[in-house]
C-alpha cells in the first residue's frame, strides 16, 4: 500500500490559507475561543453519535487511514494479470492456476481465483462475489455517511452557538457600543461550523465516496475476469472485455489487433 | 434484547453542552420561555399530525424504544447457526431441523426454517420472506419519515415564532433602546427549532434509518441461508456465501480453506 | 367510508396556537393585511396554475376530501376475505366465486376477482392490475405534486412581498423612526408564506403521499391474493403470503401452525 | 391542436398582482431599473447558454409554444379508436387496417399501426416504439432542464447584483442618511431574480415536466394497444387493459360487463 | 473535431456584464482584492483536492477542452453510415465490411464494427460495448462532479471569507463610521464565491453533464446498429430503429414509406 499525501497536504494548505486570511486584518488568537469550538465540534459530534450505531462510529477513524493510502489498484496491471491467468488456464487447465494464487497481491482477485480453482460453479461464484461487493459498498457507505452527516450538522451547531451568543448579547444589552465585540464572538461558532463542514467533513465524505466507487468498479472488472476464465473463454476476448473498463481503452494503439481480426479465431 | 445507552448518553451530553454554553455568558432561565417552546414543539407537532395518518403517529413512541436496544443480530453467530443447521440437514434430512427451530432466538430465522421444514416450495418461501422484508422496511420507513419531517418542520415553526415576535416588536416600536430584549425573545423560537432539529429529530431519523438498513441486510442473509439449506447445498458453500455478508470476511484467517480446495468437493 | 377528523383538528389546533402566540404580545388584527394575503396566496396560486395543466388543478379540491376519509382498508379483514374466497374456490371451483363478488366492498378486490371468475389468463390480469395500480399512483402523485409545489412557491411569494415592501420603504425613507412599522408590514408576507407552507401545504402533500403509498401496498396484496386464487394455491399458503403484508405478522400467535407443519400438505 | 390560454392568463394575472402590490405603497416606475434587469436576465441567460449546447437552447422557444397548446390526447377517444381497430382486425385481418391509418389523427398511433400493418415482428415494434418514447422524453427533458436551470440561476444573479450594489454603496458611504435609497436599488435585482424564478421559470419547467409525463403515459398506452392488436387479442381484453390507463376506469358503469362474464369468451 | 465558441463567448459576455454593472456606480478596481480572491479560489480548490483522488483532478483541465468542441456526432449521418454498412453486409457478407472500417470517423462505431467483422458473438459484443459506455459515463461523471463540487464549495468559502472579515471588523470596532468600508471588503468574498459558482463552475458542470448524456445516447444507437448488422437484420428495419433515436423522426416526410408497406418484406 503506497502512501499518497495529496489529501493531507491540501487540508494543511487550506488551514494555512485560512490562518493567513485571518492574520491580514486581525489576530489568530482572537479566533480561538474554547467554548465556541466545544459547541461546534462536540455538539455536532454528539448528534453524529445519536445518528449512528456506536460500533459504526468506532470504525470511522480506520476509514480515515484510507485518505493517505494511494489507490494501488492499477487496473492496467490487473488486466494483464487476469489475461495471463486465462492463458495459463487455457493451456494447462484450471488446476494449474492453484500455484499462481499465492503470488496475487489483490485480495479480491486471489479470493475469486481460489473459488474458480476449487471448482465452485459459476452461479455460486457470481452470487458470492456480488454479495461481497455489495457489502463492501454498504460498509464504506456508512463511513461516508458519518462524515456527510457531520458536515451537515456542524453548520447547524455553529448557528446554534451564534444564536446563544446573540440571545445572551441582546438580552443584556445596556451599552450599544459594546455590541460589536459580542457579535464577533457570536459569529465565531458560525465560522467554525462552516469551516469544519466545507474544508474537512464534506470533502472527506466525497473522497471516501469516490474511492468506494473506484473500488467497486475494479472489483466488478475482476469478477468478470474470473468468471470468464472459469468459462474457458478465449484470452483475447477476455482482454478486450476487461480493457473496456480502462480509462482510454488501448484498442487503437495495438497494431496486432488487425492481425487478430484476420485470424477470426474468437470462440 | 440487550440495552445500549450510547444514544441516550449522547443526547444527554448534547443538552448539557448547550446548557453549559448558555450559562457562560447568560442564564439558562432567560432561555426558558413557555410560549416560544409551545409554538416550536406543538406547532411542528400539529404539522406532523397533519402529515401522517394518526395510527402511524401512535406507533412512533414504540419506535423510540429501539434507540436503547442493542442490535443483537450478531451476524457471525447467525452464520454459524445456519451452517450448523445445514450440516444437520445434510446428514439427517430436513425434518431433523424441526426440533432445532424452538431453540432459535432470531424470529426471522425461526420463521424461515419453519417454512423450509414444512416443505413449502422455494419460490413461495422466497416470495413470502421478500414481502416480509419489504413490509418491515416500509413500516420502519414511516417511523423515520415522521422524525425526519418533524426535523424539517421544527426550524420552520421556529422561524414563524421569530417572525411573530419581530412583527409585534417592530409594529409597536416606540423606544428603540428596548429592541434588544425583544429581539432576544424573538430569536428564542429559532433557537428551539434549530436545537430540536439538529440534536433530536434529524439524528433520531438517521439512527432509525441505519438500524433498518442493517436489519434488512441481516434478514436477506438469513433468507439466502434458509433457501440454500432447502436446496440441499454443501454446508461449506453456504458458509462462504454467508460470510460474504460479514464485515471483513474470514477467508484469510482460515488455514483449512486450502485443505478444502484440495478436496474439491463442492457441488 | 368512515370519517376521521384528526387531520382537520390538527390544522385547527395549529391555527389556534399561532393566533394565541400572536395575541400574547400583540393583536391579531395587526396581522391581517389584505394586500399581503393577496400576494402570498393568489401569487403562489397563479404560479401553481402555470405549473400544471388546468384539468389537474380542478381535481385538487376533490383530493382534499381524502383528508377527512378514514382509510378503511382493514388489511387484516381483506386477508380473511381473500383466504375464505380461496377456500370456496378450492372446494367448489372458481365459478362459485361469482356470487360472492357482489358482496365485496373493496372495489379493487371486486374487480380483480371478476377477472379471475371471467377466466382471463394470469398474465393479462397481472398486467391490467399493475397498470391500474401504476396509474392510480400517477393520478394521486399529481395531487401531491400540486400541494408540494404550492408549499415550495408560497415562501417565495412571501419573500417577493417583503422585498416589495422593503424597496418601497427604503426608497422613500425620510424619517428613520418610522421604519419599524413599515418593516413589520413588509415581514407579514414572509410570515404568511411560511405559515401556508409549513402548516398547510407541505403537511397536506405529505399526507396524500403517505395515503397513496398505503393504498398501493394494499392493492399489491390484493393482486397477489387474486392471482394465487386463480392459480389454485393452497389456502394456507395464500394466508401466509398475505400475512407477510400485515404489520406484525400473526405466525407466532397461531398454535395450529405447528399442526399444519405436521400435515406437510403444502403444494 | 386546440389552444388553451390558462397558463398565459395565470402568468398575466401574476404580473398584474405584483404591479398592484407595488403600486399600493410605491410607484411601478421606481421598480424599473435597466441595469438591474440586465444583470438578472442576461447574466442568468449567459449562464444558461454556458450550461447547455447551443442547439438545445435554440429549441427552447419552440417548447414554449406547448404552453398554449391544449393537450388533445383524449385518452378515452384513443381507447375507443384502438378497440375499434382491434375489432376490424379480428373480423377482416390486419391488412384491413391499412385504409384506416390515414384517418388516425394521433401521429404516434398512426406510426405504430403502420408498423403492425407492415408485418414487422412484435419485438422490433416494441423496441422502436420504446426508443421513440425514451428519446421523446429525453428531448423534452432538455427543455425542462433549461427552464429549471434558469430558475435556479436567476436568484443567484439577483443576489450577485445586490452584492455589487451593496459593496459599491458601503464602500463609498459618507452620508448614512442616503443608505436607504441605495439599499432599495440594490434589493431590486434580488426582487427580479426571485420574480423570474418563482413566477416564470420554475412554473414553466414544472408545466413542461407534467406535459411530458402525460404524453409518455399516453404513448405507452398506445404501444400496448398496437401490440395487443398485432397479437390478435380479444377486443374486450384490449379494452379492459387500456381502460386501466384511464382516470377513473369505467368498469363499474358498464352493466354489460356481467353479460361478458357469462360468456367467458376471453382468450 | 469542429470548434464551437458559444460557451466561451457566453462566459466572456457574462463577465463583461458583471464588469459593466460594477462600473455604473463604482469602480472595478475596488472589486479587486487579492486576499479575497485567494480565500475563495484557492480555499475551495483545496477542498476540491481533498474531495477527489489527485489523478482525477489532473484530468479536469482536459475535460475543459470539450467546452470548445462542437459535438460532431451528427446522428443523422451516423444512421446513414450504419444503414449503408448493413446494405453492404446483406449483399456481400460481413467480411466485406472490413475494408470500410478504416474510413469510419466515429471511433466507437469503428470499434463496434471491427468486433462484428472479427466474428465475435453478439453477447460478448453487447457486453463489451455496454461496459465501454458505462465506463465512459463514469469517467465523464467524475469531471462533472469536480466542477459541481467546486460550484458547491465556492460560496461556502466566500461566506468563510466574509465571516473572517466581519469578525475582525466587529472585534476591533472603535469608530462605527468606518464599518461601511469594512463590510464592503468582507462582502467581496461572498461576491466572488457566488460569481464563481453561478457563472463558471455550476454551468460548466451542467454543460459536461449534457454532453455526456448526448454521447451515451449516440453510442447506444451505434451499439444497436452494430448488433442489428451482425444479426443480419433487414436494412429498412435497421433504418427505422435508428431513426427512432433522431430528434423529430423522419417517417412522415418519406413518401416511399407507403411503398415499403406494400412490399411487406420485413423479416
Amino acid at each position: 500500500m503506497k502512501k499518497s499525501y495529496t489529501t493531507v497536504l491540501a487540508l494543511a494548505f487550506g488551514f494555512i490559507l485560512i490562518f493567513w486570511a485571518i492574520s491580514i486584518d486581525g489576530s489568530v488568537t482572537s479566533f480561538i475561543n474554547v467554548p465556541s469550538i466545544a459547541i461546534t465540534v462536540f455538539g455536532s459530534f454528539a448528534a453524529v453519535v445519536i445518528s449512528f450505531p456506536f460500533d459504526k462510529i468506532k470504525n470511522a477513524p480506520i476509514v480515515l487511514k484510507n485518505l493517505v493510502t494511494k489507490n494501488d489498484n492499477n487496473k492496467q496491471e490487473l488486466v494483464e494479470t487476469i489475461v495471463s491467468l486465462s492463458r495459463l488456464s487455457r493451456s494447462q487447465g484450471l488446476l494449474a492456476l492453484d500455484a499462481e494464487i499465492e503470488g496475487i497481491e489483490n485480495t479480491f482477485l486471489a479470493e475469486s481465483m481460489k473459488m474458480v480453482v476449487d471448482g465452485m460453479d459459476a452461479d455460486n461464484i457470481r452470487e458470492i462475489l456480488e454479495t461481497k461487493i455489495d457489502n463492501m459498498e454498504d460498509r464504506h457507505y456508512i463511513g461516508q455517511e458519518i462524515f456527510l452527516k457531520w458536515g451537515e450538522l456542524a453548520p447547524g451547531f455553529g448557528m446554534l452557538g451564534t444564536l446563544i451568543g446573540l440571545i445572551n448579547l441582546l438580552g443584556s444589552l445596556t451599552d450599544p457600543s459594546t455590541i460589536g465585540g459580542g457579535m464577533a464572538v457570536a459569529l465565531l461558532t458560525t465560522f467554525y461550523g462552516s469551516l469544519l463542514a466545507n474544508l474537512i467533513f464534506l470533502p472527506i465524505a466525497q473522497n471516501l465516496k469516490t474511492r468506494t466507487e473506484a473500488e467497486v468498479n475494479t472489483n466488478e472488472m475482476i469478477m468478470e475476469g474470473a468468471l470468464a476464465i472459469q468459462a474457458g473463454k478465449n484470452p483475447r476476448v477476455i482482454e478486450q472485455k476487461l480493457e473496456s473498463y480502462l480509462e482510454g481503452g488501448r484498442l487503437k494503439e495495438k497494431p496486432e489487433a488487425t492481425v487478430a481480426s484476420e485470424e477470426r479465431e474468437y470462440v
Side-chain angles (χ1 to χ4, degrees), chain A residues 45-62:
Chain A
F45 182 68
V48 167
V49 173
I50 299 169
S51 302
F52 297 94
F54 195 61
D55 53 313
K56 305 295 183 192
I57 291 167
K58 271 189 306 191
N59 292 330
I62 302 169

PDB file of all heavy atoms in Angstrom, chain A residues 45-62:
ATOM      1  N   PHE A  45     -20.685  16.395  17.150  1.00  0.00           N
ATOM      2  CA  PHE A  45     -20.253  15.010  17.327  1.00  0.00           C
ATOM      3  C   PHE A  45     -21.307  14.225  18.136  1.00  0.00           C
ATOM      4  O   PHE A  45     -21.602  13.066  17.813  1.00  0.00           O
ATOM      5  CB  PHE A  45     -18.892  14.944  18.015  1.00  0.00           C
ATOM      6  CG  PHE A  45     -18.391  13.532  18.167  1.00  0.00           C
ATOM      7  CD1 PHE A  45     -18.031  12.798  17.045  1.00  0.00           C
ATOM      8  CD2 PHE A  45     -18.305  12.924  19.417  1.00  0.00           C
ATOM      9  CE1 PHE A  45     -17.596  11.485  17.163  1.00  0.00           C
ATOM     10  CE2 PHE A  45     -17.863  11.606  19.540  1.00  0.00           C
ATOM     11  CZ  PHE A  45     -17.513  10.885  18.410  1.00  0.00           C
ATOM     12  N   ALA A  46     -21.869  14.866  19.166  1.00  0.00           N
ATOM     13  CA  ALA A  46     -22.942  14.205  19.926  1.00  0.00           C
ATOM     14  C   ALA A  46     -24.088  13.838  18.993  1.00  0.00           C
ATOM     15  O   ALA A  46     -24.621  12.717  19.036  1.00  0.00           O
ATOM     16  CB  ALA A  46     -23.435  15.116  21.052  1.00  0.00           C
ATOM     17  N   ALA A  47     -24.465  14.761  18.112  1.00  0.00           N
ATOM     18  CA  ALA A  47     -25.554  14.477  17.168  1.00  0.00           C
ATOM     19  C   ALA A  47     -25.181  13.342  16.214  1.00  0.00           C
ATOM     20  O   ALA A  47     -26.029  12.526  15.839  1.00  0.00           O
ATOM     21  CB  ALA A  47     -25.908  15.740  16.393  1.00  0.00           C
ATOM     22  N   VAL A  48     -23.899  13.269  15.844  1.00  0.00           N
ATOM     23  CA  VAL A  48     -23.450  12.171  14.983  1.00  0.00           C
ATOM     24  C   VAL A  48     -23.551  10.844  15.735  1.00  0.00           C
ATOM     25  O   VAL A  48     -23.972   9.829  15.174  1.00  0.00           O
ATOM     26  CB  VAL A  48     -22.006  12.419  14.478  1.00  0.00           C
ATOM     27  CG1 VAL A  48     -21.403  11.165  13.866  1.00  0.00           C
ATOM     28  CG2 VAL A  48     -21.993  13.551  13.466  1.00  0.00           C
ATOM     29  N   VAL A  49     -23.158  10.851  17.028  1.00  0.00           N
ATOM     30  CA  VAL A  49     -23.231   9.615  17.825  1.00  0.00           C
ATOM     31  C   VAL A  49     -24.687   9.163  17.962  1.00  0.00           C
ATOM     32  O   VAL A  49     -24.985   7.965  17.929  1.00  0.00           O
ATOM     33  CB  VAL A  49     -22.585   9.816  19.212  1.00  0.00           C
ATOM     34  CG1 VAL A  49     -22.811   8.590  20.103  1.00  0.00           C
ATOM     35  CG2 VAL A  49     -21.092  10.075  19.054  1.00  0.00           C
ATOM     36  N   ILE A  50     -25.616  10.126  18.096  1.00  0.00           N
ATOM     37  CA  ILE A  50     -27.035   9.751  18.139  1.00  0.00           C
ATOM     38  C   ILE A  50     -27.469   9.156  16.805  1.00  0.00           C
ATOM     39  O   ILE A  50     -28.276   8.218  16.754  1.00  0.00           O
ATOM     40  CB  ILE A  50     -27.918  10.977  18.476  1.00  0.00           C
ATOM     41  CG1 ILE A  50     -27.537  11.540  19.843  1.00  0.00           C
ATOM     42  CG2 ILE A  50     -29.402  10.616  18.466  1.00  0.00           C
ATOM     43  CD1 ILE A  50     -28.157  12.888  20.142  1.00  0.00           C
ATOM     44  N   SER A  51     -26.896   9.671  15.723  1.00  0.00           N
ATOM     45  CA  SER A  51     -27.352   9.276  14.387  1.00  0.00           C
ATOM     46  C   SER A  51     -26.951   7.865  13.964  1.00  0.00           C
ATOM     47  O   SER A  51     -27.585   7.276  13.096  1.00  0.00           O
ATOM     48  CB  SER A  51     -26.811  10.253  13.334  1.00  0.00           C
ATOM     49  OG  SER A  51     -27.211  11.569  13.601  1.00  0.00           O
ATOM     50  N   PHE A  52     -25.859   7.338  14.540  1.00  0.00           N
ATOM     51  CA  PHE A  52     -25.365   6.051  14.066  1.00  0.00           C
ATOM     52  C   PHE A  52     -25.126   5.090  15.222  1.00  0.00           C
ATOM     53  O   PHE A  52     -24.765   5.523  16.317  1.00  0.00           O
ATOM     54  CB  PHE A  52     -24.059   6.238  13.284  1.00  0.00           C
ATOM     55  CG  PHE A  52     -24.228   7.053  12.045  1.00  0.00           C
ATOM     56  CD1 PHE A  52     -23.989   8.411  12.058  1.00  0.00           C
ATOM     57  CD2 PHE A  52     -24.674   6.470  10.869  1.00  0.00           C
ATOM     58  CE1 PHE A  52     -24.167   9.177  10.912  1.00  0.00           C
ATOM     59  CE2 PHE A  52     -24.849   7.234   9.723  1.00  0.00           C
ATOM     60  CZ  PHE A  52     -24.600   8.586   9.752  1.00  0.00           C
ATOM     61  N   PRO A  53     -25.290   3.767  14.979  1.00  0.00           N
ATOM     62  CA  PRO A  53     -24.919   2.788  15.995  1.00  0.00           C
ATOM     63  C   PRO A  53     -23.450   2.996  16.361  1.00  0.00           C
ATOM     64  O   PRO A  53     -22.638   3.310  15.477  1.00  0.00           O
ATOM     65  CB  PRO A  53     -25.109   1.440  15.295  1.00  0.00           C
ATOM     66  CG  PRO A  53     -25.973   1.716  14.124  1.00  0.00           C
ATOM     67  CD  PRO A  53     -25.765   3.149  13.743  1.00  0.00           C
ATOM     68  N   PHE A  54     -23.118   2.824  17.648  1.00  0.00           N
ATOM     69  CA  PHE A  54     -21.776   3.189  18.103  1.00  0.00           C
ATOM     70  C   PHE A  54     -20.676   2.372  17.440  1.00  0.00           C
ATOM     71  O   PHE A  54     -19.585   2.887  17.184  1.00  0.00           O
ATOM     72  CB  PHE A  54     -21.685   3.059  19.628  1.00  0.00           C
ATOM     73  CG  PHE A  54     -20.478   3.761  20.166  1.00  0.00           C
ATOM     74  CD1 PHE A  54     -20.328   5.139  19.986  1.00  0.00           C
ATOM     75  CD2 PHE A  54     -19.490   3.084  20.847  1.00  0.00           C
ATOM     76  CE1 PHE A  54     -19.216   5.809  20.473  1.00  0.00           C
ATOM     77  CE2 PHE A  54     -18.380   3.748  21.331  1.00  0.00           C
ATOM     78  CZ  PHE A  54     -18.244   5.109  21.150  1.00  0.00           C
ATOM     79  N   ASP A  55     -20.963   1.099  17.125  1.00  0.00           N
ATOM     80  CA  ASP A  55     -19.897   0.288  16.520  1.00  0.00           C
ATOM     81  C   ASP A  55     -19.531   0.778  15.116  1.00  0.00           C
ATOM     82  O   ASP A  55     -18.438   0.511  14.627  1.00  0.00           O
ATOM     83  CB  ASP A  55     -20.284  -1.198  16.496  1.00  0.00           C
ATOM     84  CG  ASP A  55     -21.629  -1.420  15.854  1.00  0.00           C
ATOM     85  OD1 ASP A  55     -22.582  -0.684  16.195  1.00  0.00           O
ATOM     86  OD2 ASP A  55     -21.753  -2.315  15.007  1.00  0.00           O
ATOM     87  N   LYS A  56     -20.454   1.499  14.464  1.00  0.00           N
ATOM     88  CA  LYS A  56     -20.111   2.085  13.163  1.00  0.00           C
ATOM     89  C   LYS A  56     -19.185   3.284  13.356  1.00  0.00           C
ATOM     90  O   LYS A  56     -18.252   3.508  12.578  1.00  0.00           O
ATOM     91  CB  LYS A  56     -21.370   2.563  12.431  1.00  0.00           C
ATOM     92  CG  LYS A  56     -22.438   1.528  12.233  1.00  0.00           C
ATOM     93  CD  LYS A  56     -21.992   0.413  11.318  1.00  0.00           C
ATOM     94  CE  LYS A  56     -23.120  -0.583  11.092  1.00  0.00           C
ATOM     95  NZ  LYS A  56     -22.675  -1.811  10.459  1.00  0.00           N
ATOM     96  N   ILE A  57     -19.462   4.075  14.403  1.00  0.00           N
ATOM     97  CA  ILE A  57     -18.666   5.278  14.632  1.00  0.00           C
ATOM     98  C   ILE A  57     -17.247   4.906  15.035  1.00  0.00           C
ATOM     99  O   ILE A  57     -16.278   5.550  14.639  1.00  0.00           O
ATOM    100  CB  ILE A  57     -19.341   6.166  15.688  1.00  0.00           C
ATOM    101  CG1 ILE A  57     -20.619   6.738  15.080  1.00  0.00           C
ATOM    102  CG2 ILE A  57     -18.423   7.272  16.156  1.00  0.00           C
ATOM    103  CD1 ILE A  57     -21.543   7.374  16.074  1.00  0.00           C
ATOM    104  N   LYS A  58     -17.126   3.810  15.813  1.00  0.00           N
ATOM    105  CA  LYS A  58     -15.799   3.348  16.215  1.00  0.00           C
ATOM    106  C   LYS A  58     -14.912   3.073  15.009  1.00  0.00           C
ATOM    107  O   LYS A  58     -13.689   3.237  15.070  1.00  0.00           O
ATOM    108  CB  LYS A  58     -15.928   2.045  17.030  1.00  0.00           C
ATOM    109  CG  LYS A  58     -16.110   2.264  18.519  1.00  0.00           C
ATOM    110  CD  LYS A  58     -16.012   0.933  19.263  1.00  0.00           C
ATOM    111  CE  LYS A  58     -16.981  -0.106  18.697  1.00  0.00           C
ATOM    112  NZ  LYS A  58     -17.111  -1.306  19.511  1.00  0.00           N
ATOM    113  N   ASN A  59     -15.530   2.629  13.891  1.00  0.00           N
ATOM    114  CA  ASN A  59     -14.741   2.290  12.711  1.00  0.00           C
ATOM    115  C   ASN A  59     -14.345   3.504  11.878  1.00  0.00           C
ATOM    116  O   ASN A  59     -13.498   3.391  10.987  1.00  0.00           O
ATOM    117  CB  ASN A  59     -15.515   1.314  11.824  1.00  0.00           C
ATOM    118  CG  ASN A  59     -15.674  -0.032  12.497  1.00  0.00           C
ATOM    119  OD1 ASN A  59     -14.831  -0.424  13.282  1.00  0.00           O
ATOM    120  ND2 ASN A  59     -16.764  -0.714  12.218  1.00  0.00           N
ATOM    121  N   ALA A  60     -14.965   4.658  12.167  1.00  0.00           N
ATOM    122  CA  ALA A  60     -14.710   5.844  11.332  1.00  0.00           C
ATOM    123  C   ALA A  60     -13.231   6.227  11.276  1.00  0.00           C
ATOM    124  O   ALA A  60     -12.712   6.523  10.190  1.00  0.00           O
ATOM    125  CB  ALA A  60     -15.569   7.010  11.789  1.00  0.00           C
ATOM    126  N   PRO A  61     -12.498   6.206  12.421  1.00  0.00           N
ATOM    127  CA  PRO A  61     -11.080   6.579  12.328  1.00  0.00           C
ATOM    128  C   PRO A  61     -10.289   5.665  11.411  1.00  0.00           C
ATOM    129  O   PRO A  61      -9.366   6.105  10.730  1.00  0.00           O
ATOM    130  CB  PRO A  61     -10.582   6.468  13.778  1.00  0.00           C
ATOM    131  CG  PRO A  61     -11.808   6.568  14.619  1.00  0.00           C
ATOM    132  CD  PRO A  61     -12.914   5.968  13.802  1.00  0.00           C
ATOM    133  N   ILE A  62     -10.673   4.366  11.372  1.00  0.00           N
ATOM    134  CA  ILE A  62      -9.979   3.428  10.487  1.00  0.00           C
ATOM    135  C   ILE A  62     -10.142   3.875   9.042  1.00  0.00           C
ATOM    136  O   ILE A  62      -9.208   3.846   8.244  1.00  0.00           O
ATOM    137  CB  ILE A  62     -10.562   2.005  10.661  1.00  0.00           C
ATOM    138  CG1 ILE A  62     -10.433   1.568  12.116  1.00  0.00           C
ATOM    139  CG2 ILE A  62      -9.861   1.024   9.729  1.00  0.00           C
ATOM    140  CD1 ILE A  62     -11.199   0.300  12.448  1.00  0.00           C
TER     141      ILE A  62
END
